[in-house]
Amino acid sequence: MMERRPAGDPGPEHGSVGADRLGHTIKRAEQALISRKSRVLREFGLTVPQYAVLLLLSVSDGMSAAQLARECMVTPQTMATVLTNLDRSGLIERSLSPLHQKVTVNSISDEGRALVARADKAALHVEGGLAAEFTEAELSTFSDLLERAIAKLNSME
């Protein structure tokens, strides 16, 4: 049963149900990181998903939309939109796979490679600023704890 609060009492931090739950804290941290990256990537005309695709393609020989969607943790529909916009902007090139006629291979263009190199510096600056808030030992522990959380959640049925 939910506790009733007096009018005007927001309850837990930020006034939302579950604000004191671990999942809520993790989501807030993720949203803060994505929000900050979104602001710095806007200078380059990129969204976070577009940046992620360009970064992946910059270190690959090409990837299908399905591969990119899995790696970027977005739906296939979202990835289709991201790829269409990157293609229209000339940041990627698309060609039919030599191995499968129904698969399109997405590759980064020279323009996309140059743009993502500049944008990555800005994104790394955000991550570096976050990392600077922790000692080396804390950062290592933080990373280990997050990896442990991921492993546990992935092992649950």
Side-chain angles (χ1 to χ4, degrees):
M1 184 169 149
M2 293 195 55
E3 171 189 342
R4 291 217 176 260
R5 292 189 177 80
D9 179 0
E13 182 182 358
H14 302 300
S16 65
V17 174
D20 57 345
R21 294 184 182 186
L22 180 58
H24 187 77
T25 302
I26 291 169
K27 185 65 174 177
R28 285 181 38 235
E30 177 197 27
Q31 290 298 318
L33 177 61
I34 297 300
S35 176
R36 187 69 194 125
K37 278 188 173 181
S38 292
R39 282 192 295 261
V40 301
L41 292 172
R42 200 171 299 133
E43 173 186 340
F44 303 95
L46 294 173
T47 64
V48 172
Q50 288 172 334
Y51 160 76
V53 166
L54 291 175
L55 194 60
L56 282 169
L57 293 178
S58 74
V59 296
S60 78
D61 291 330
M63 298 174 75
S64 70
Q67 289 171 313
L68 287 164
R70 281 190 299 276
E71 289 292 321
C72 293
M73 295 176 273
V74 299
T75 65
Q77 295 84 354
T78 296
M79 185 53 62
T81 301
V82 169
L83 291 171
T84 296
N85 290 334
L86 290 172
D87 186 37
R88 282 186 191 145
S89 299
L91 300 173
I92 64 168
E93 298 166 351
R94 306 176 94 184
S95 59
L96 289 178
S97 169
L99 302 175
H100 196 289
Q101 65 186 12
K102 292 186 178 183
V103 173
T104 299
V105 176
N106 301 281
S107 303
I108 194 166
S109 68
D110 290 341
E111 184 181 345
R113 190 173 304 282
L115 180 63
V116 78
R118 293 191 319 273
D120 193 38
K121 288 178 185 171
L124 286 172
H125 183 74
V126 170
E127 291 181 25
L130 175 58
E133 287 298 309
F134 302 97
T135 66
E136 194 172 315
E138 287 173 331
L139 195 54
S140 178
T141 298
F142 185 46
S143 182
D144 290 345
L145 292 171
L146 287 172
E147 288 297 335
R148 193 164 95 201
I150 292 164
K152 176 60 180 175
L153 291 168
N154 286 338
S155 73
M156 295 170 69
E157 290 187 21

